[in-house]
Amino acid sequence: MGRETEALRRELADISERMATKDDVARLDKEVEDIGEKMATKEGLFALERRAAMKFDAVDNELKALEKRPNLRLEALGARWGLASERAFREAVRELLREAGYAVEKWVYFHSEGHVYGQPRRS
């Protein structure tokens, strides 16, 4: 019986070493809870993505509005000055664009097929 008892004691000691105590379980539960608080959920990420997309759309709309503004002002200036001042207006705009680093060229094309105006002409 001595050998069997000793074998059972070793097996019991081995099981005791592998088993977790209530303190071990509580510590692991706390670690899991802490990790859960630090991690983002899929719903949170989707909400963040939606907010970012909405901000992007708002910025995109503002840029489009800003893009239209100079064109409207130039058209208004051209309409106010009339056809008689069109050359002066074009020269002023050409100078503004040149200062901004752009090149403006006059382009005249003879339209021989007449698809645009119904007859051949320069356009």
Side-chain angles (χ1 to χ4, degrees):
M1 223 195 227
R3 285 186 179 168
E4 289 178 10
T5 306
E6 187 60 34
L8 285 172
R9 282 185 183 159
R10 272 187 264 141
E11 190 177 334
L12 224 110
D14 189 39
I15 290 172
S16 292
E17 287 178 22
R18 289 184 293 174
M19 297 296 289
T21 65
K22 289 182 180 181
D23 290 339
D24 292 335
V25 172
R27 181 182 51 80
L28 289 173
D29 281 344
K30 177 69 175 149
E31 286 182 25
V32 168
E33 185 180 318
D34 290 346
I35 290 171
E37 289 175 2
K38 293 177 184 175
M39 298 298 290
T41 62
K42 286 183 181 179
E43 293 82 17
L45 290 175
F46 290 142
L48 182 63
E49 183 181 22
R50 283 191 300 273
R51 285 195 308 268
M54 288 172 52
K55 286 182 181 180
F56 177 79
D57 288 342
V59 169
D60 188 47
N61 289 337
E62 286 180 33
L63 285 174
K64 286 178 183 177
L66 287 174
E67 192 176 279
K68 290 179 183 179
R69 192 178 300 164
N71 289 339
L72 293 174
R73 289 185 178 169
L74 287 174
E75 289 171 5
L77 285 172
R80 182 180 296 168
W81 288 356
L83 293 176
S85 301
E86 185 176 343
R87 178 179 285 171
F89 175 74
R90 285 184 184 183
E91 290 300 320
V93 171
R94 178 179 297 163
E95 184 62 26
L96 288 172
L97 291 173
R98 188 187 64 75
E99 289 175 4
Y102 295 96
V104 178
E105 300 175 0
K106 184 174 182 177
W107 184 67
V108 178
Y109 176 76
F110 183 74
H111 184 67
S112 60
E113 290 85 27
H115 293 293
V116 176
Y117 297 106
Q119 61 185 2
R121 66 182 282 186
R122 284 181 179 232
S123 54

